[in-house]
Amino acid sequence: MRMVESLVRRFGTILNHIAAITILNTTQGLLSDEKEKLFVTLQSIADSVITTDTIGRISFMNKKAEEITGWSAKEASGQPLSNIFCIINSKTGEAYEIPLEKVLKTGMTVSLGNNVTLIAKNGRKKIIAADSFAPIKNKSGKIIGVVLVFKDIIEKELMDKEFIKMKKLESLGLLAGGIAHDFNNLLTAILGNIGLAMAYLPPEHKTYRRLRESEKASLKARDLVNQLLTFSKGGEPVKKILSIATVIKETVNLALIGSNIKCEIFIPDDIWNVLIDEGQIGQVIHNLLLNACQAMPSGGTIKVMCENTFIEKKAVLPIPIGKYVKISVQDEGIGISQENLSKIFDPYYTTKLKGTGLGLSIAYSIIKKHGGYITVDSIIGKGTTFVFYLLASKKAAESIKETKDSKVKKLSDKKKLLVMDDDDMILDFVKEVLSGAGYYVECSKNGGQAVELYKEAISAGDPFDLVVLDFTIPGGMGGKETINRLLKITPGVKAIVSSGYSADPIMTEYKKYGFSSVLIKPYKVDDLLRTVEIVIMSG
């Protein structure tokens, strides 16, 4: 009996030990889980975190702290905080005293405030905001270390500046979009009537020469409106996969004709293709080359360089991670002062006697709309380097098909045209031009009237061979709705859409909506005749 009792007591003791071990293992498991959750949380947050023990030796660093300081957590572990977190006053350059002792003695949270610069492992200086030095306490309230939380504010400042720039450009875009429709209508009428007047005069006539100068001035006004539209939604890029090498070489050849500037181009054979609007990116490169030429009035060399690059998450650039082609345009000019450097992308800002101050603003807006980024670095007396990034593609470049004037044939019989526009001056000019070219022309001022005229012509057995539709009709049916109705009547209707401003994709993807071609206002007499003839002769 006693033996049994002894065995029971021993078994009970064993059970108690097993229970205790189970509880201990469970507790350790829970603590391990909590530690893992804490580690993951600290690694995930956007701020930099460093913790130390009670004598200031580093016990933990998260990834963000590694990125900013340049030290890995493994390298920093066990080192004094002052070795890794080396800070100075941004204004005076004097060393800051790290308030570890104060935190450990008082148990208070201490902030360093503003004007703090961190010197990273590689010697690079970074402006930071040191939010707090706070005590770490255990359950009994005893201080067992210090936690430091800080952030790199250069990235935030960069984002703030980008936001301000975009707001300025958006405001200009709203203005441009608002005036573009009416202004381009006026320019279309002006250019058209000038073209008609010139057609009635011999080229040697004195008045002809004056009209030619007026036409040139009108075309400059058109170019200015188009530059303004680049800031607006109406200037959205029509992207294709193209060879950046081809675009650069063609633009350089055109931009530097007759100048005293030499250009050296460095493009590797394996450079990626890019997804771009060829005309707009060509304009960016042209504007940067022009800027470089103006910075070197006595001549010099421009270097244009390309390289494949991958933007990683840690890069301080306001663009998504991914593959990009990096293009640099470097000159040997007079340089730009730091005071002016932050303003050069602002609309109408210029330090030159000539020019509109729109060139670099346009470049900035175009690159932004392409999902890229443009930046600048300059040293007075040594030169300026512009760098911009474009989304890369490993797909083959698309071939560009061109329509040559030689393919346009004269018509053997009279064709019937319907022209819809809300502007009387445009209707008058278009009717005279097309009638003079041998077409029979009817006009309408809105979509509803155009559809009725179209139906009547079919009923009379004399249908229209082509319709020209203005995209925007204030207060009435515009080109988009009109073409939908006409397609229901005649699925194969030949139609041209015309507009001076539109953010709608119909202007860049017109074939998807049933149009055969597009006519951008303002246009000249030759533009109108050529577009009409090509469409009528097609298919």
Side-chain angles (χ1 to χ4, degrees):
M1 187 70 176
R2 288 180 181 176
M3 185 179 294
V4 173
E5 289 176 357
S6 176
L7 288 172
V8 169
R9 282 196 299 270
R10 289 176 65 185
F11 185 67
T13 303
I14 292 170
L15 288 176
N16 288 335
H17 283 311
I18 292 172
I21 291 169
T22 303
I23 293 170
L24 180 61
N25 288 338
T26 303
T27 303
Q28 288 177 337
L30 290 172
L31 287 172
S32 179
D33 289 344
E34 289 300 315
K35 184 178 179 181
E36 179 66 21
K37 287 178 183 177
L38 177 61
F39 178 81
V40 171
T41 301
L42 291 175
Q43 290 289 15
S44 301
I45 64 175
D47 289 345
S48 300
V49 179
I50 300 177
T51 64
T52 74
D53 58 20
T54 53
I55 59 173
R57 292 176 304 192
I58 293 176
S59 55
F60 172 81
M61 283 177 66
N62 71 349
K63 289 181 180 178
K64 200 67 179 177
E66 289 180 316
E67 290 174 13
I68 295 177
T69 64
W71 293 85
S72 69
K74 186 177 180 180
E75 291 173 319
S77 181
Q79 290 205 49
L81 179 62
S82 57
N83 287 2
I84 308 302
F85 189 69
C86 182
I87 53 175
I88 61 173
N89 187 298
S90 303
K91 291 184 176 180
T92 65
E94 296 178 358
Y96 257 123
E97 184 179 348
I98 299 174
L100 273 174
E101 277 191 43
K102 185 176 181 180
V103 175
L104 291 168
K105 284 181 179 180
T106 64
M108 296 173 59
T109 297
V110 178
S111 176
L112 288 180
N114 301 320
N115 305 317
V116 181
T117 295
L118 170 72
I119 302 176
K121 183 182 179 183
N122 60 5
R124 185 178 175 185
K125 295 179 179 180
K126 300 181 180 182
I127 301 172
I128 64 167
D131 290 347
S132 65
F133 285 80
I136 303 172
K137 298 179 180 180
N138 61 17
K139 287 185 178 181
S140 61
K142 182 182 177 182
I143 297 175
I144 58 173
V146 174
V147 58
L148 163 62
V149 180
F150 61 101
K151 69 182 77 173
D152 183 351
I153 62 174
I154 292 178
E155 187 172 353
K156 182 179 182 300
E157 287 182 350
L158 181 62
M159 293 298 182
D160 289 344
K161 287 178 182 178
E162 291 298 308
F163 179 76
I164 292 170
K165 282 180 189 175
M166 286 309 299
K167 284 299 177 184
K168 289 179 181 178
L169 297 180
E170 282 175 12
S171 297
L172 186 57
L174 289 173
L175 173 65
I179 67 172
H181 177 266
D182 292 339
F183 192 67
N184 275 329
N185 272 356
L186 289 171
L187 277 179
T188 302
I190 292 169
L191 277 169
N193 283 297
I194 289 174
L196 279 172
M198 290 168 64
Y200 300 140
L201 295 169
E204 63 274 11
H205 197 284
K206 184 178 180 180
T207 303
Y208 183 95
R209 292 197 297 271
R210 293 298 95 203
L211 288 170
R212 174 67 75 187
E213 291 304 311
S214 297
E215 183 182 57
K216 288 180 181 177
S218 298
L219 290 172
K220 285 184 179 180
R222 178 186 68 179
D223 292 341
L224 181 59
V225 174
N226 288 338
Q227 288 182 29
L228 287 170
L229 283 174
T230 303
F231 298 120
S232 70
K233 291 182 179 179
E236 292 300 321
V238 183
K239 300 176 186 176
K240 293 181 180 179
I241 298 173
L242 299 172
S243 164
I244 190 62
T246 302
V247 176
I248 288 174
K249 289 172 184 176
E250 290 179 355
T251 305
V252 167
N253 290 337
L254 289 172
L256 301 182
I257 290 176
S259 74
N260 60 345
I261 303 295
K262 177 184 177 184
C263 186
E264 297 177 355
I265 300 175
F266 304 91
I267 304 175
D269 294 336
D270 63 345
I271 197 73
W272 292 326
N273 291 324
V274 285
L275 184 63
I276 61 170
D277 181 310
E278 182 184 19
Q280 289 192 5
I281 295 302
Q283 187 177 7
V284 169
I285 298 167
H286 183 276
N287 288 351
L288 295 182
L289 291 171
L290 181 62
N291 198 73
C293 290
Q294 292 172 344
M296 300 186 294
S298 301
T301 301
I302 299 172
K303 293 181 179 179
V304 180
M305 297 160 280
C306 292
E307 63 177 287
N308 297 329
T309 186
F310 187 84
I311 300 299
E312 298 179 350
K313 187 176 181 181
K314 63 181 179 181
V316 186
L317 289 174
I319 49 178
I321 60 173
K323 294 178 180 178
Y324 291 82
V325 173
K326 177 182 175 183
I327 301 103
S328 304
V329 179
Q330 179 182 346
D331 66 51
E332 303 171 330
I334 57 176
I336 305 167
S337 69
Q338 291 299 312
E339 180 184 357
N340 292 329
L341 208 57
S342 62
K343 306 173 187 176
I344 60 171
F345 293 119
D346 291 352
Y348 292 108
Y349 179 81
T350 181
T351 57
K352 303 179 182 72
L353 295 176
K354 292 184 177 181
T356 62
L358 280 174
L360 294 179
S361 302
I362 288 170
Y364 176 89
S365 183
I366 289 173
I367 297 300
K368 199 75 177 176
K369 287 182 179 181
H370 277 74
Y373 179 68
I374 183 169
T375 185
V376 61
D377 188 29
S378 187
I379 300 174
I380 294 294
K382 292 189 176 181
T384 301
T385 302
F386 285 89
V387 177
F388 62 97
Y389 298 81
L390 296 173
L391 282 168
S393 174
K394 287 193 173 182
K395 293 182 179 179
E398 298 177 33
S399 59
I400 301 171
K401 296 179 181 179
E402 296 181 358
T403 303
K404 298 181 180 178
D405 293 345
S406 59
K407 292 183 179 179
V408 179
K409 301 176 182 178
K410 275 290 177 184
L411 303 174
S412 57
D413 57 337
K414 197 165 187 177
K415 298 292 181 178
K416 186 176 180 181
L417 276 58
L418 173 61
V419 179
M420 180 192 81
D421 202 290
D422 65 305
D423 192 293
D424 288 324
M425 291 186 293
I426 292 178
L427 287 177
D428 182 63
F429 136 66
V430 170
K431 185 171 184 177
E432 185 168 349
V433 169
L434 294 176
S435 297
Y439 298 102
Y440 175 76
V441 183
E442 288 191 32
C443 299
S444 69
K445 296 193 68 175
N446 60 67
Q449 185 184 14
V451 172
E452 291 305 313
L453 288 172
Y454 192 84
K455 288 179 179 178
E456 290 172 8
I458 292 175
S459 298
D462 187 20
F464 289 101
D465 297 288
L466 172 70
V467 294
V468 181
L469 305 175
D470 188 14
F471 182 83
T472 305
I473 304 292
M477 187 195 302
K480 188 175 183 178
E481 188 177 348
T482 304
I483 190 64
N484 286 336
R485 296 198 182 186
L486 295 183
L487 286 168
K488 290 178 181 178
I489 301 169
T490 308
V493 60
K494 290 184 177 181
I496 298 170
V497 61
S498 176
S499 180
Y501 169 76
S502 174
D504 198 290
I506 198 170
M507 296 304 295
T508 55
E509 300 176 352
Y510 54 88
K511 288 185 178 180
K512 290 183 180 180
Y513 297 87
F515 287 100
S516 305
S517 188
V518 62
L519 195 57
I520 303 296
K521 295 178 181 178
Y523 47 80
K524 298 190 296 181
V525 170
D526 290 344
D527 299 327
L528 173 63
L529 288 173
R530 182 168 58 250
T531 304
V532 167
E533 288 173 353
I534 289 172
V535 173
I536 284 184
M537 292 301 298
S538 65

